[in-house]
Amino acid sequence: MRNAWVIAKRDLGSFFNSPIFYVVTTVFLVIYSFIFFQILNFFSFQSLQAGQAQAMGMSLNLNEMVIEPSLQNMSVILLLIIPIITMRSFADEKKMKTFRLLLSSPIHLKEIILGKFLACMGVVTLMILISSYSVGFLFLLGEPEVGPIVTGYLGVILMAGCFVSAGIFASSLTDNQIIASVLTFGFSLFMWIIGWGAQAAGPVTGQILQYLSIVDHLDHFLKGLVETSDLVYYLSFMLFSLFLCHRVLDSNRWR
Amino acid sequence: MIEVENLTKHYGPRRAINNLSFQIAQGEVVGFLGPNGAGKSTTLNILSCILPASSGTARIMGHDTFEHSLEIRKKIGYLPETPPLYQDMNVRDYLKFAAQVRGVSGKQITSAVERVIGKCSLADVSHRIIGRLSKGYQQRVGLAQAMVHDPDILILDEPTVGLDPIQIIEIRKLIQELAASHTIILSSHILPEITQICQRVIIINEGEIAAVDSLEGLTASLRKSERLSLTLRNSGDQVEEKLKSLQQVLSVLPEENNRFLLECELNSNLQDEIARLALDNKWGLVEIKPLSMTLEDIFLKLTIEEKDVTV
Ligand SMILES: Nc1ncnc2c1ncn2[C@@H]1O[C@H](COP(=O)(O)OP(=O)(O)O)[C@@H](O)[C@H]1O
Ligand SMILES: [Mg+2]
């Protein structure tokens, strides 16, 4: 596992060296902040209209009316930008022929994949953590509940992990970064909307589709619930994508 | 040290190498010679555990390159055709990374990096970004990356390709220095390179071994003809014809400035007869000298002969 960390560290260094990271992070923060303050604004407007007692009402509603929709929106932004973060992982190594260094080194393919995954997760988690300044802002205004905030962020990070693992997998399929990012976006979006088919499908199929939908699992986390089935879903999603990635890279050698 | 038996590799339906068998002893410097597409890179990739073979075995120090690949990778330094350089890193960080992934243990990393920086004369550029270095320096960084874990075997795939003449000479000198303490396999389609560096050549063409021999042996075994160079002061249309009419002359090739290349049978000692012919016809003999057979000719011959067989 030391090797995975060595690879992750190099990739992180390369992220922080490249403008892509700073541009993506800036765009992410600007859009997220805009949405957040929009929501906050709407919230204060409503609470004023309802003539609620500020101190009592806010502590209950801040979670439901501000944090929950903010995180939901954040997950949409993540869906859009994570493909840009992950697209380089293997595509660039293949295009620049640097992959040969890793392949001829005494390290396992597993460690390489894990390293790539950790690096992208590091970047994405960092971005999400920076965005959490907005929560601190809420504590100045009222008393939001801490529990759902923590689980909400956990859910968002796990969901981001699914996008990242899908992105790593897509990146192993090609040496073209654009193709890798489009594939990631397409696949993530599909897993997002797959639940929409639930109503049209039969009861059993519908339930399966609902369970497969990446976004439905986030709701529990946002409400402060950490359920095993959601954790299992997210973790198996990641493991399965990384497993596919391993299969692709391994079989590439046999062609 | 290296034993290859009946090695075959298919890319889909395409056969890149077919039934290669050869051995390389410890300390040898062996050249892999063949035109583009001959299968050199494929063979070297199998030896460096990057590609599995379709059939046959490659063993290094008794270990199979596929089954025990992690063991072998520690002992091999590999420089692919395109050096595996992260363009955005500086030389020192890159070599440190290479040392880490190639399995140098924590405490020895710094000294390993310093050692290869010294050996490959990279001290002046060690803080520069790799992408901004000249091709010659990049190639040296590529070599340094292959040596950083002090491997017993160096596998170098066309190490001088795309360099300018001065850089080529520098890289060759470096490889010659390394030859003293390493087993080296080097591929090339540039012939003088192999003659300068290698003790033994494996000539490979269209995926098959065309010859394995020492340089001297190869030259001797292929000497089916001799060449003479003839320079005249005057010339006429009939020079070529008259030369050709000599019994032992196989072919005549006119060149610039009244120079002719003659290919004749072995040990024919035609100099006297040609001199007489020149005197009789008042050609004005300037010079006549035998040309030694270069590896380049051997090589051309080999590939041509192979082609004739397959057509
Ligand atoms: N990844 C690959 N996929 C399909 N064909 C390949 C691949 N790599 C090499 N080949 C083919 O195999 C043959 C040998 O190639 P290679 O080993 O690169 O030759 P060399 O290094 O001697 O130029 C060539 O005909 C080449 O087109
Ligand atoms: Mg090649």
Side-chain angles (χ1 to χ4, degrees):
Chain A
M1 288 308 101
R2 186 189 76 106
N3 292 322
W5 174 235
V6 167
I7 286 166
K9 227 168 47 182
R10 198 213 73 80
D11 273 23
L12 281 172
S14 157
F15 272 121
F16 298 141
N17 253 335
S18 95
I20 293 183
F21 168 73
Y22 298 97
V23 172
V24 168
T25 308
T26 310
V27 168
F28 170 73
L29 288 176
V30 168
I31 294 180
Y32 170 74
S33 305
F34 179 77
I35 293 176
F36 175 80
F37 286 108
Q38 239 11 71
I39 291 171
L40 192 61
N41 195 29
F42 181 69
F43 171 78
S44 4
F45 179 70
Q46 274 209 327
S47 52
L48 267 182
Q49 245 188 358
Q52 283 173 326
Q54 294 263 323
M56 287 295 290
M58 259 195 174
S59 63
L60 258 180
N61 289 341
L62 270 177
N63 282 306
E64 265 179 36
M65 295 188 65
V66 180
I67 295 174
E68 219 177 286
S70 298
L71 288 182
Q72 251 155 6
N73 279 294
M74 185 197 284
S75 61
V76 179
I77 311 173
L78 288 172
L79 172 76
L80 296 172
I81 59 160
I82 284 179
I84 312 288
I85 304 272
T86 57
M87 66 182 184
R88 299 207 297 175
S89 301
F90 285 108
D92 202 38
E93 295 262 1
K94 288 200 249 176
K95 176 144 243 155
M96 301 308 294
K97 314 278 185 198
T98 46
F99 202 27
R100 296 252 163 112
L101 167 60
L102 305 181
L103 287 180
S104 68
S105 294
I107 47 180
H108 292 280
L109 194 50
K110 284 184 278 210
E111 297 173 309
I112 302 177
I113 295 171
L114 185 63
K116 297 274 168 200
F117 177 74
L118 288 178
C120 292
M121 269 324 271
V123 169
V124 172
T125 310
L126 180 66
M127 285 167 41
I128 294 174
L129 287 184
I130 297 176
S131 77
S132 68
Y133 80 89
S134 54
V135 176
F137 204 72
L138 291 186
F139 278 98
L140 295 179
L141 283 178
E143 289 169 358
E145 255 186 274
V146 177
I149 296 178
V150 172
T151 58
Y153 268 89
L154 176 68
V156 168
I157 288 174
L158 283 171
M159 184 181 198
C162 294
F163 296 151
V164 167
S165 64
I168 302 270
F169 168 53
S171 185
S172 74
L173 293 169
T174 170
D175 61 3
N176 184 317
Q177 300 184 29
I178 311 255
I179 292 177
S181 75
V182 171
L183 280 178
T184 310
F185 175 69
F187 181 67
S188 307
L189 185 61
F190 182 73
M191 290 311 287
W192 183 297
I193 61 178
I194 198 171
W196 296 1
Q199 266 142 0
V204 180
T205 329
Q207 268 199 325
I208 294 174
L209 290 183
Q210 202 77 52
Y211 184 73
L212 285 180
S213 167
I214 211 169
V215 73
D216 285 1
H217 296 273
L218 186 61
D219 289 341
H220 292 149
F221 284 101
L222 294 181
K223 296 256 184 291
L225 302 168
V226 181
E227 301 215 3
T228 322
S229 77
D230 300 327
L231 280 176
V232 166
Y233 173 84
Y234 281 143
L235 293 178
S236 10
F237 191 113
M238 286 182 237
L239 273 179
F240 187 63
S241 304
L242 297 181
F243 167 75
L244 286 182
C245 174
H246 190 279
R247 287 307 293 264
V248 166
L249 292 174
D250 202 37
S251 71
N252 268 352
R253 308 196 304 160
W254 289 94
R255 268 194 301 118
Chain B
M1 190 111 180
I2 299 176
E3 293 145 358
V4 172
E5 261 172 54
N6 306 325
L7 205 62
T8 302
K9 174 73 191 176
H10 295 265
Y11 292 107
R14 180 192 208 111
R15 194 170 62 199
I17 55 170
N18 184 24
N19 241 346
L20 297 191
S21 301
F22 58 88
Q23 300 194 338
I24 294 170
Q26 179 155 17
E28 259 191 311
V29 179
V30 174
F32 242 74
L33 193 57
N36 282 326
K40 304 181 295 290
S41 300
T42 303
T43 313
L44 297 187
N45 279 338
I46 294 172
L47 286 179
S48 29
C49 312
I50 285 184
L51 270 185
S54 304
S55 68
T57 54
R59 259 173 293 139
I60 291 181
M61 296 167 148
H63 296 291
D64 188 278
T65 52
F66 186 61
E67 275 159 31
H68 303 280
S69 83
L70 284 196
E71 290 304 307
I72 301 170
R73 290 184 214 178
K74 287 178 197 156
K75 310 211 158 103
I76 288 182
Y78 173 51
L79 174 61
E81 215 162 350
T82 315
L85 305 174
Y86 293 100
Q87 303 287 322
D88 57 348
M89 291 177 94
N90 79 37
V91 172
R92 196 178 294 269
D93 288 347
Y94 170 74
L95 290 175
K96 200 174 145 207
F97 173 71
Q100 286 171 325
V101 291
R102 290 214 188 271
V104 178
S105 67
K107 282 174 237 153
Q108 279 143 29
I109 287 174
T110 315
S111 64
V113 169
E114 291 311 317
R115 181 175 51 81
V116 290
I117 283 180
K119 249 193 187 144
C120 300
S121 317
L122 289 167
D124 293 342
V125 297
S126 68
H127 288 289
R128 301 220 356 230
I129 301 293
I130 291 175
R132 305 212 187 103
L133 294 177
S134 69
K135 270 218 104 201
Y137 268 118
Q138 292 194 355
Q139 198 70 18
R140 283 200 227 173
V141 179
L143 262 175
Q145 134 322 106
M147 294 159 42
V148 73
H149 53 310
D150 200 15
D152 299 319
I153 302 171
L154 282 176
I155 297 180
L156 312 175
D157 197 354
E158 310 220 13
T160 59
V161 80
L163 302 184
D164 68 37
I166 295 172
Q167 295 167 338
I168 289 178
I169 291 168
E170 285 174 359
I171 293 286
R172 281 187 196 153
K173 234 170 66 192
L174 182 54
I175 295 173
Q176 277 166 327
E177 283 167 26
L178 295 172
S181 51
H182 295 81
T183 305
I184 298 182
I185 310 176
L186 169 134
S187 82
S188 179
H189 64 267
I190 306 165
L191 307 152
E193 184 158 283
I194 301 278
T195 39
Q196 279 175 30
I197 303 176
C198 304
Q199 301 155 352
R200 204 154 67 96
V201 239
I202 295 173
I203 298 184
I204 169 171
N205 188 42
E206 291 178 4
E208 314 214 5
I209 291 184
V212 182
D213 213 335
S214 66
L215 288 178
E216 299 81 22
L218 207 58
T219 318
S221 71
L222 280 162
R223 271 179 131 235
K224 292 183 189 129
S225 64
E226 286 179 348
R227 298 171 105 191
L228 291 175
S229 149
L230 174 69
T231 314
L232 304 173
R233 207 174 307 119
N234 320 310
S235 81
D237 311 331
Q238 289 163 4
V239 174
E240 236 183 299
E241 279 172 36
K242 288 199 166 141
L243 286 172
K244 267 184 191 155
S245 69
L246 289 173
Q247 229 182 17
Q248 287 158 309
V249 172
L250 299 172
S251 69
V252 179
L253 202 74
E255 298 215 333
E256 297 159 349
N257 304 328
N258 291 337
R259 205 173 142 236
F260 297 84
L261 284 182
L262 284 77
E263 197 171 356
C264 352
E265 287 174 25
L266 275 186
N267 309 319
S268 46
N269 293 322
L270 276 174
Q271 281 94 326
D272 286 355
E273 284 194 57
I274 292 170
R276 197 173 310 127
L277 209 60
L279 269 178
D280 290 347
N281 293 289
K282 302 205 162 58
W283 287 338
L285 180 63
V286 177
E287 188 191 42
I288 180 166
K289 65 175 182 196
L291 290 177
S292 68
M293 190 92 153
T294 64
L295 190 57
E296 203 130 6
D297 298 308
I298 300 171
F299 176 65
L300 271 178
K301 233 183 160 58
L302 268 165
T303 46
I304 289 164
E305 278 177 3
E306 279 293 309
K307 275 225 164 62
D308 287 346
V309 169
T310 51
V311 163

